[in-house]
Structures are given as structure tokens and as C-alpha cells.
Amino acid sequence: MTPAAHGMRRYHQARWDEPIITELSQPGQRGIHVPHTEAAMLDAIDSDHNQLPDSVRRRTPAALPELAQPQVLRHYLRLSQETLGSDLAIDMGLGTSTMKYSPKINDQLARAPKLAELHPLQHPETVQGVLEIFWKLEQILCELSGMQRVSLQPGGGSAAIWTNVSMVRAYHASRGDGAARDQVVTTLFSHPSNAACAKTAGYTVITVPPDRSGYPDAAALREALGSRTAALMITNPEDTGIFNPRIQEIVDLAHAAGALAVYDQANANGILGITRARDAGFDACQFNLHKTFSTPHGSGGPATGAVCVTADLAPFLPVPTVERNHSTYSLDYDRPHTIGSVRAFTGVAQNVLRAYAWVMALGAEGLRQVAETAVLNNNYLYSRILVIPGTSAPYATGHHPIEQVRYSWNDLHHETGITSEDIGRRAADFGVHYWLSHHPRVVAEPFTVEPSESYSLAELDEFAQTLAHIASEARAKPDLVRHAPHHTPVHQIHHDALDDPTRWATTWRAYQRKHNP
């Protein structure tokens, strides 16, 4: 029986034997004629160049590829045909990193000359409209979180978590107990960026394991909190997709120990307009505009993390902050207790505008409907996936998951030898994006699915039917799955290369030096 008979579409992706663009270079080819530089400008450039240290001056011109326009166009169009993206594929498989529809009209707004041609060093008097959008989105996020102040400067979710950790450190230092409070407590199923950022900031990280229900173990949490705790950093819903109903009790335990409570809201898509961080007692939180608020994910950038804090933590916010005085807006750099800047200027204005437009188009009721639809989609897909023989959801059983679920193919693996990674590669043959799980791999043979509110009933069914079809293939034709993919340019990863630092190369020229000496 063909895949189409199972409700899945036939799919075969373009596969081009496309070289790296530098390999396509032909000396003398040009895409444009660059105008000659005026003599006065050359003099000015030469003067500035002479002030540079000798160690940073170029000895030779940059080795840029030389191609005519048609060759450049063909190169990138061919690469685009080899790519699965959120506007092309069913990509609800990227759990813990909400992938949702970004309205194209918001892209048009972001590309409008009135925004695209602004310069971040313009005087605030000349950019009042942009500052107003920043300020208004901050007020919306204050309402959604219950906090008093917001910064939109961080360049992504992890950067926002880092900002929160930095403010925690500055807060305790201002009270004279910064050195004594040298530990951060997090939980096993909180997003790994919490532990990573705390460790990077110099803290000792204590990770609380889950109990049998999947919630943080209460006894272990009480033991971990103490006079050395600077902060509790926790995600809720955690990366299992389960909302912790005891979250306020957990926050109270942190406060009783003298610690701050920091809420990672990377998984906020299913709780918008329903729960608020401050109502549970949190001191700080963050939203990811490139997830929850529909701005493009961009594989980690250009993203925006929104940091939300109480009045007690507001003095430590990064600079500049956007301030309002009646009907005018300004940038405030004069903040004695600030942690400084965590990225250039105020943040990614284009993403702030996209998020603002998305929120204003939906309104308060629409935002809540986003959350409710995401939860409905997730639970519908949950019911469809768990009837596939060989699947399970170890920590979700008996719950109504909020916006994602960490599933397991462990039963299928024991029966057939097929791994979750094998299934992920085979899923690409049907034009479906599939994601395993980030570490730690507590759930055996995991895959994490988050449908969000953007997918139709037909797409949810197609995704579930695709997984069911692959599971049946694993039993009937395991080699077909094991050697996938067959219809895409994706290839199998050789893990021995990933484990060998002598073979790593972060640039094309580094690869050439290592492999073509």
C-alpha cells in the first residue's frame, strides 16, 4: 500500500550536487560593478587604517567568491530546495523550541524602509515611533507576566537566562552576600540553558531529579535549597510538557532560603493569558519572542529574549532601558546598579515590531485562544501517537500535557532494533520534521513533539499517520528505516567524526586545511 493510501503525501526532495560557493568562484566574474571610491574617502580610510595595530591589518584582500548574478541565484535557490523549513514542512517535531506560523504581513512591516533604514545610533528624538513600540510591548509583557519592568535587549532565550543570572548575582552582591550564595538550584527537566548559564556565571549547579510523577522531587529540593542558594531556576511546564501545580509552594521554599526564584518561560505558548509568573511569586522570568510571540526562529538568531523582573530587580536591568515621560520616549544609560549591556543597543527592533504586531492583531482574548488551541492540539496529537504500538510517554501518563510531550520509542526499539534517530531520518522522506530530545536523555529513545496552535487537524493527522506508517515499516522492513533517508539530501551522521576533535572544522577554509593539507 502506498503512503498516500495512509493519508500521507508523496514526497521527494531535490538533491543537488552543489559545491560550496567558494568552489564556484571564477576569477574576473562580477555580479555588480562597484563604483570607484572618491579620493577624499580613500584618504580618510587610509588614515584610519594606519591607526590600526599591525596585527589586525590585512596583508591581502579578502578571498571572496567571484560569480555573476545568475550563478549566485542558482546556487542559493538550489540550496533552498534542499531545505525543510517551517513554511514548507510539518515541523511540529521541534519540541521545547516552539515553531509556529509567522504572519507574512509582519515581515513586510519589518522590512519597511521606516524601520529597516533606521540606525541604532540615531538620536532618540528621531526614533520616537520605534521606542514607543519597544515601550508598549514591554507593558504588554508586564501584563502577561505580572512583573514591573522588562528589557528586550537579550539576543535569544539563553541570552535572557544569562541576563537573569547576571541580575541575580548583582542583586546578592548589592546585599553583601554575593560570595556566600554561590549555588543555583535547577531541575532535571528544566531547559538545559538554565544550568548552562548558571555554570557559565560561576555558580555551582545543583540539579534536582524528578520523582515518579515527573515533578521535581520535593525532598531533594528541600535538601538542595539553603544559605548558599542564590536562585532557583526552573521551567514550567518543564520539558516533559507537564505543568507543575505545586509551583508556588516551590517558589516559597526558595524564598524561605533567601534565594530568588527565576522562571524560564521558553515553554509559555500553552499558558499565555492563563497563568502569570509573578502570581506564583517569581522574581524574574523570560519570554522568547522567537517562539511564543511568533517572530521567526532563525535557528537561534536573530532572536529576542524578553527579561521581565520585579521592582526589586529593576535597578539591575541591562542598559539602555526605554523610558516614557508623558508622550516622549528616551534611552536611560544612567543606572548605577545595572549589569551593563548584554548585546548592542536596545535589541532586534525588527523582531520587537513583529511580536508587537502579532500581539496587537490578536488582543487579549486572542492570546488566550492561542494557548488553548495549542493545548488542544497537543492533547489531540498525544491521543493519536500513544495508540501507535511501540510508543509511550513515561512522564505524561495520567496527565493532560500543556504544549509538548517527550515520547519514547523504547518499546519499538526492543522489538525491532530501530532507534528514534532511525525514525527521524525516515520521517524526512515524508517531508516531516522530527526531533529527538536534548540532553539529558532520561527518556530512552526519545522524541519530543510540540504542535503549537498553528497546525490544522489535517496536518496533525498527517503527522500521526506518518509516525504510524514508519512504525509499521520498522517491523516489516527494518532495513528500509535503518538506512533512511532515501528521498532527501539529508545523510546519515557518522558519530565517530563528531567524537574526534582532530576532524572538526568550524569554517570551510579550516576544513580544507585539515582534510586537504
Side-chain angles (χ1 to χ4, degrees), residues 35-195:
H36 292 291
T37 307
E38 295 87 343
M41 185 173 291
L42 282 173
D43 291 340
I45 293 172
D46 187 60
S47 174
D48 291 339
H49 181 266
N50 289 333
Q51 296 179 34
L52 293 174
D54 186 64
S55 60
V56 300
R57 296 186 197 178
R58 279 195 175 275
R59 283 4 181 229
T60 58
L64 301 176
E66 300 177 61
L67 284 86
Q69 284 190 19
Q71 284 72 51
V72 174
L73 181 65
R74 291 184 189 112
H75 173 72
Y76 285 106
L77 284 177
R78 287 167 179 169
L79 293 181
S80 73
Q81 291 176 347
E82 294 185 318
T83 301
L84 284 177
S86 59
D87 289 338
L88 183 66
I90 299 176
D91 67 343
M92 65 186 73
L94 194 62
T96 78
S97 286
T98 308
M99 303 294 282
K100 57 201 290 184
Y101 181 67
S102 299
K104 300 313 162 200
I105 189 172
N106 295 347
D107 289 338
Q108 294 178 32
L109 292 173
R111 290 195 300 265
K114 289 184 177 180
L115 182 67
E117 296 179 6
L118 294 181
H119 194 284
L121 290 178
Q122 283 183 229
H123 194 280
E125 290 180 0
T126 69
V127 289
Q128 288 293 294
V130 174
L131 294 181
E132 181 180 1
I133 290 171
F134 267 80
W135 190 85
K136 285 186 174 179
L137 183 59
E138 289 176 9
Q139 306 316 301
I140 291 168
L141 297 178
C142 282
E143 180 64 26
L144 288 171
S145 64
M147 300 293 179
Q148 281 72 52
R149 287 301 305 265
V150 172
S151 171
L152 298 170
Q153 189 182 81
S158 294
I161 296 170
W162 164 259
T163 303
N164 278 332
V165 171
S166 300
M167 288 190 288
V168 165
R169 183 171 53 190
Y171 170 83
H172 288 299
S174 73
R175 296 162 57 89
D177 60 352
R181 293 192 177 272
D182 59 353
Q183 296 178 349
V184 164
V185 176
T186 188
T187 66
L188 189 66
F189 285 135
S190 285
H191 198 282
S193 291
N194 292 277

Side-chain angles (χ1 to χ4, degrees), residues 181 218 221-222 225-226 229 231-234 244-262 277-283:
R181 293 192 177 272
L221 181 64
R222 287 187 176 90
L225 294 167
T229 309
L232 167 72
M233 302 183 68
I234 189 170
N244 191 334
R246 303 196 297 265
I247 192 65
Q248 186 169 354
E249 175 187 342
I250 290 173
V251 171
D252 289 344
L253 289 172
H255 286 161
L260 295 173
V262 182
R278 187 57 186 159
D279 293 345
F282 280 96
D283 304 288

Side-chain angles (χ1 to χ4, degrees), residues 299-377:
S299 295
T304 301
V307 167
C308 313
V309 299
T310 63
D312 289 341
L313 285 178
F316 307 101
L317 283 169
V319 289
T321 56
V322 178
E323 304 294 337
R324 181 186 182 186
N325 183 15
H326 301 297
S327 60
T328 61
Y329 301 87
S330 61
L331 296 175
D332 184 10
Y333 288 88
D334 186 18
R335 302 179 67 83
H337 301 290
T338 178
I339 61 171
S341 296
V342 294
R343 68 165 297 146
F345 310 111
T346 53
V348 182
Q350 287 83 358
N351 274 352
V352 171
L353 175 60
R354 286 183 177 102
Y356 178 72
W358 185 75
V359 170
M360 295 304 291
L362 288 167
E365 292 183 5
L367 288 177
R368 185 180 180 109
Q369 186 176 353
V370 163
E372 292 173 344
T373 304
V375 173
L376 177 63
N377 281 355

